[in-house]
Amino acid sequence: NAGVTQTPKFQVLKTGQSMTLQCAQDMNHNSMYWYRQDPGMGLRLIYYSASEGTTDKGEVPNGYNVSRLNKREFSLRLESAAPSQTSVYFCASTWDGLNTGELFFGEGSRLTVL
Amino acid sequence: QKEVEQNSGPLSVPEGAIASLNCTYSDRVSQSFFWYRQYSGKSPELIMSIYSNGDKEDGRFTAQLNKASQYVSLLIRDSQPSDSATYLCAVGRNYGGATNKLIFGTGTLLAVQP
C-alpha cells in the first residue's frame, strides 16, 4: 500500500540548477498539495491542485512551478534553484478538498541548494 | 501576526501526566481545525479534527475549540514517551463553501520524560 510516493528523497543542487520533484498517489484522491517545511516556519503551502486540470498558488509560490500531469501525479519544478529553497518538501493528497482535513503526506524530499 | 500561532516549546511533561498544547488563529471565519502529529524525520499524520465549539474526545486525546476566543487546544492524558513528537495545529480555509487549504502553525515540540 504505497499511498503518496515522492522522488527523490534527497537532492543537492547548485545555485541556478533546475530540478523536478515528483509525486504520485494511488488512493484515487482528487486534491494534491506541495508544502515546504523549514525550522521555525512550519509547513507552508507552495501550490495545490484541487482537482485534475486545475492548479492554484499557495502562500509561497515564487520560484516554483507545478504540473498536475493526471489524477495520480503532481510535480513541483524549481527552474533556477536558490539557497533560500533549501528545505524539506512534502507532497500530500486528500479525497475531498480538505473538508475532513485529512491530508495524506509523502515521506518528504530533502533539498539542499549550495 | 501569524495566521496560526503555537508555542514552539519544548513542552516537557513526565510520563503519565496531562500534556496541554495550545493554538490561536487569526481568521474569524475559519470553520475547521485539526491537530497533526509529526515524529522527528517523518511526515505529519492527522490525529484529531474539530469543527464545533466545545470538546471532542478520542481515546487519550481531547481537542477543545473556542471560536469566540479563536483558540484551539489538544490535551493528551496519561502521556507516554511514544507521544514525544511535534504537534501541528492546522486551520481550514474555506473558498466557495469548500475547504481547500490548510494553514499550519509552526508546531509545538512535546517531550514526555519516562
Side-chain angles (χ1 to χ4, degrees), chain B residues 23-66:
Chain B
C23 171
T24 58
Y25 60 95
S26 61
D27 188 349
R28 284 193 169 275
V29 301
S30 299
Q31 295 295 321
S32 51
F33 308 87
F34 309 93
W35 285 98
Y36 282 74
R37 178 176 61 199
Q38 185 176 23
Y39 291 113
S40 180
K42 302 296 185 183
S43 56
E45 57 179 341
L46 180 69
I47 54 170
M48 288 289 287
S49 60
I50 188 166
Y51 305 92
S52 304
N53 281 329
D55 295 358
K56 179 181 178 182
E57 187 175 318
D58 184 0
R60 295 185 297 111
F61 298 98
T62 299
Q64 299 175 316
L65 174 61
N66 183 328

Side-chain angles (χ1 to χ4, degrees), chain A residues 66-101:
Chain A
V66 290
S67 296
R68 183 73 182 266
L69 304 170
N70 48 54
K71 191 171 185 179
R72 293 185 63 248
E73 298 172 287
F74 189 38
S75 63
L76 178 72
R77 183 161 178 83
L78 287 69
E79 290 291 353
S80 178
S84 61
Q85 295 178 303
T86 293
S87 187
V88 179
Y89 292 84
F90 286 101
C91 177
S93 69
T94 189
W95 173 249
D96 62 353
L98 287 174
N99 285 317
T100 60

Side-chain angles (χ1 to χ4, degrees), chain B residues 2-114:
Chain B
K2 291 182 180 178
E3 296 187 61
V4 180
E5 297 211 48
Q6 297 180 256
N7 188 319
S8 62
L11 173 65
S12 184
V13 299
E15 185 174 354
I18 295 175
S20 177
L21 304 159
N22 303 314
C23 171
T24 58
Y25 60 95
S26 61
D27 188 349
R28 284 193 169 275
V29 301
S30 299
Q31 295 295 321
S32 51
F33 308 87
F34 309 93
W35 285 98
Y36 282 74
R37 178 176 61 199
Q38 185 176 23
Y39 291 113
S40 180
K42 302 296 185 183
S43 56
E45 57 179 341
L46 180 69
I47 54 170
M48 288 289 287
S49 60
I50 188 166
Y51 305 92
S52 304
N53 281 329
D55 295 358
K56 179 181 178 182
E57 187 175 318
D58 184 0
R60 295 185 297 111
F61 298 98
T62 299
Q64 299 175 316
L65 174 61
N66 183 328
K67 290 185 178 180
S69 300
Q70 294 174 243
Y71 179 91
V72 191
S73 65
L74 179 70
L75 301 177
I76 306 175
R77 289 182 299 280
D78 188 23
S79 296
Q80 301 297 310
S82 58
D83 294 325
S84 298
T86 296
Y87 288 81
L88 303 170
C89 174
V91 176
R93 183 66 57 80
N94 294 356
Y95 294 90
T99 301
N100 53 23
K101 286 187 186 180
L102 281 187
I103 307 299
F104 285 85
T106 54
T108 298
L109 177 62
L110 173 66
V112 181
Q113 307 300 324

